[in-house]
Amino acid sequence: MADFLTPQSEDFSRWYNEIVQKADLADYSPVRGCMVIKPYGYTLWENIREALDRRFKATGHVNAYFPLFIPMSFLQKEAEHVEGFAPELAVVTHGGGEKLEEPLVVRPTSETIIGYMYAKWIQSYRDLPVLINQWANVVRWEMRTRLFLRTTEFLWQEGHTAHATREEALEETMRILDLYTDFAVNDAAIPVIPGRKSESEKFAGAVNSYTIEAMMKDGKALQSGTSHFLGQNFAKAFDIKFLDENNQLQYVWTTSWGVSTRMVGAIVMTHGDDQGLVLPPRLAPTQVVIVPIWRKKKEREAVLEAARSLYERLRPVVRVHLDEREGFSPGWKFHDWEMRGVPLRLELGPRDLASGTVVAARRDIPGREGKRVLQMAEVEQAVPALLEEVQAGIYRKALDFREAHTWEVESYEALKEAVAQGFARAWWCGDPACEAAIKEETKATIRCLPQDQPGGKGRCIYCGKEAHEVALFGRAY
Amino acid sequence: MADFLTPQSEDFSRWYNEIVQKADLADYSPVRGCMVIKPYGYTLWENIREALDRRFKATGHVNAYFPLFIPMSFLQKEAEHVEGFAPELAVVTHGGGEKLEEPLVVRPTSETIIGYMYAKWIQSYRDLPVLINQWANVVRWEMRTRLFLRTTEFLWQEGHTAHATREEALEETMRILDLYTDFAVNDAAIPVIPGRKSESEKFAGAVNSYTIEAMMKDGKALQSGTSHFLGQNFAKAFDIKFLDENNQLQYVWTTSWGVSTRMVGAIVMTHGDDQGLVLPPRLAPTQVVIVPIWRKKKEREAVLEAARSLYERLRPVVRVHLDEREGFSPGWKFHDWEMRGVPLRLELGPRDLASGTVVAARRDIPGREGKRVLQMAEVEQAVPALLEEVQAGIYRKALDFREAHTWEVESYEALKEAVAQGFARAWWCGDPACEAAIKEETKATIRCLPQDQPGGKGRCIYCGKEAHEVALFGRAY
């Protein structure tokens, strides 16, 4: 035992660092800014990947793989792009014992090298659209790092698509934003606010960036996925042209979009509590843990036998683990699995054997209230149903939390108060100067211009001039 | 059309380069030595990965992820290791705009950084065994590269395990060798010869390396997977120690093992023919393609409708594609899918509709002989059964080829003749000098000391001294 967590209310940031390590999600590595994703954390990432990949494939995308290294000159072809990424680059100057003629950059993102290949592959409108995704590692040199949230190397998927028309590319950008929203809500149980980034916050090289923004339990925002409409910026930089149906040479329209291992951090900080992780059943590495309980030695065999039989029955329907460890009390095991956020615990003791029942304890509802007695005869139906209840329950709880920490503000004072605890929705005139002043004075940035707009017009929360859009303000990770 | 391949018999190497690109498996990239894995090739790799990953998990392994970058000093801790890898390193000297204090190496393999972490994680015998695998990209600076076979960056899995005893680590090394053999034989349909590497061919830092060796259609050998027993070499270099059950501090015993994207090249060169790829059904991205055939426009709708209904019926049981492309003749489509190696083609025309049948054409048996008429009522059973026949058929064919190109030789002259066309099995005294001389004179190396040994003793094929093992000689990729 003695493995206590700092309470969230005392120091959320410390709680986060502790739980990520104690629950075996990740560890610090000897390489500055790089993390080690431990098996438990990696399995969570595998499940995230699988849930996204399924959606990509269902919408016609295919996976491919492009080189880790990018010639430095490629990045320089798109002015905004190189300006945005230059300060964060890791540079390979030597290979095979010799100095390279041109330094190679370790990809911070792959628009440029993929753009180069698309120029080679795309000739005619018949070659379009190109709908490719890549699962890869990328490197962005970071000064201040946090496990999963901001690391020098991270894992992600990056989609890169090319289209014949502006409309199709815009449609793709929004299709992916919807896909990310659907994944966040239905699999990660994270309520997100989809919207457009302001000019100052958009991706370096994009015409428009779209984002899904989530609220963490400390009221701060976490950008959890982005989808970029790149217009013809990269098409022009890399000369990606096609002959259209009228035999006219045209530049393609491109998009790019990504979700990274940061999503693991989002799950931790959306659902976790003072006992540890609370994982959404659809993504949890282990959905159900069976803890056998006995006091007298003679009870042991019967309980273990029943537990094994229960395990075998549940194995085809859920990701279940039977905790047979010797030398640990049931209470210790409860604590251990709670810390790891397993959504459902099944407690099986001699009394349950006699009554043909098993006690199910929900991770998301502490104490008696979260317990239910299941009939052993019905576990194959009851357990998956209960997992769905947990899934819906934690989503509801996160949504309630966000709603309780979001304010429609009509004064700058109210905005300041709001962003100290959560989000503020306020009219914004669109002037980057107002945005910058608010950031300077409150540390809050425009997380997005939400898709969900009231319509009509209002007065800018900062300058009071006419405004046509409501912006979402918050302090961000 | 006009998309002809150089015949294998004319120039096998050229045939390989052409088919890899024409079948859309991979393309050259603008970065020296790095390739782009195109969607078709990447899907094949995904299927390979899935088939291996399933086996790893079934044998108790879990996945994790370690940093891409390794401090240069780490490699230097194991003398043989750094000597073997130093000439092939890519080195990052700058990050975030500044020169690094210590250069970082882009991982060529991860024994060192993982060893460092294991030293941190492993304290007691209770922490053992550690059975971790990683799916990752690695970089080895190569002078002469070939798509999939030898590229500066490649994708692979690398298993790294730590054990309490020598016996357990040896057992793990052999378990993985068996697992690789099982995968190669049963999924990739590649007959392989498992065995031990000679001292000169073993992994830099290993006590013993084991390999599965396959014969390509040009008679050359391709090392297709390796499993290394590392003894306590890395444990001592990284101080990976544990308290055993008697409270004694001991070094752990480690293993490492890997299969890479090179396996794609192995599949291409084991099964491919002058018409293109021949993919094993268990790994093929598309197992079955339906080509609808009509001459008169009025037949079109009925045929397409039947083809779509056939597609829907097959979709739950096999990976099927319906080729509805307009403007291409059935003959052109046949050619196209043959090049891509789809194991089974279903031809559906007006006559088939009338008779309630469909013609199945096997990719591995050309012409009439490979065709069979299936009853439409039974396709859900008949098609998967036929795929199993193809799977077994191409394995048999590859095995026959290898056996026809392998000779038990008793004279050095016979060895020379044999390795010009395939493999030679010959007694070897174990002296590296004989091995080196044979390599120098014949370009053939000891691919392995096969597990399958005749026993007893013989005379070394080179020096004539007493020999206790038979070695497998061949020219290798």
Side-chain angles (χ1 to χ4, degrees), chain A residues 69-72 89-106, chain B residues 69 72 89-95 97-100 102-106 139 141:
Chain A
F69 298 138
I70 302 178
M72 184 66 101
L89 298 175
V91 186
V92 176
T93 54
H94 292 72
E98 302 200 349
K99 187 159 194 282
L100 304 182
E101 282 183 29
E102 182 184 359
L104 294 172
V105 157
V106 182
Chain B
F69 298 137
M72 184 65 102
L89 298 175
V91 187
V92 176
T93 54
H94 291 73
E98 303 200 348
K99 188 159 193 282
L100 304 182
E102 181 184 358
L104 294 171
V105 157
V106 183
V139 169
W141 213 261

Side-chain angles (χ1 to χ4, degrees), chain B residues 214-360:
Chain B
M215 182 186 285
M216 304 295 99
K217 271 198 170 172
D218 60 353
K220 284 169 77 177
L222 190 75
Q223 176 179 303
S224 306
T226 47
S227 182
H228 313 293
F229 171 65
L230 305 174
Q232 294 182 315
N233 293 352
F234 287 89
K236 286 177 179 165
F238 288 90
D239 211 32
I240 319 173
K241 284 188 285 209
F242 70 101
L243 276 178
D244 70 11
E245 299 195 39
N246 304 317
N247 231 24
Q248 299 293 309
L249 212 49
Q250 307 267 8
Y251 285 111
V252 300
W253 299 81
T254 67
T255 82
S256 70
W257 27 276
V259 160
S260 75
T261 34
R262 178 171 243 220
M263 183 54 78
V264 174
I267 290 169
V268 172
M269 293 196 293
T270 299
H271 305 301
D273 62 23
D274 288 348
Q275 275 63 56
L277 300 180
V278 176
L279 296 179
R282 298 229 179 117
L283 300 176
T286 302
Q287 297 173 306
V288 178
V289 62
I290 303 169
V291 179
I293 302 170
W294 67 87
R295 291 198 184 163
K296 301 165 195 151
K297 245 199 164 164
K298 64 174 181 180
E299 295 166 350
R300 186 176 172 278
E301 265 320 297
V303 169
L304 271 185
E305 197 182 310
R308 284 176 197 146
S309 132
L310 177 59
Y311 171 74
E312 290 302 334
R313 283 174 60 195
L314 287 176
R315 222 151 60 110
V317 287
V318 291
R319 295 188 289 274
V320 59
H321 177 77
L322 169 57
D323 187 352
E324 287 205 38
R325 284 179 290 180
E326 298 280 350
F328 299 94
S329 71
W332 188 93
K333 290 182 179 178
F334 291 0
H335 172 85
D336 192 44
W337 294 109
E338 277 170 6
M339 196 173 64
R340 288 166 174 269
V342 174
L344 210 57
R345 176 178 77 228
L346 298 180
E347 309 170 4
L348 193 67
R351 259 188 297 173
D352 299 297
L353 263 57
S355 59
T357 57
V358 59
V359 175

Side-chain angles (χ1 to χ4, degrees), chain A residues 431-460:
Chain A
D431 187 341
C434 292
E435 183 187 17
I438 293 170
K439 183 175 177 181
E440 173 70 28
E441 293 165 22
T442 70
K443 291 182 199 143
T445 50
I446 294 181
R447 302 317 307 150
C448 69
L449 301 152
Q451 286 190 305
D452 175 25
Q453 287 286 336
K457 57 189 180 180
R459 295 272 155 206
C460 177

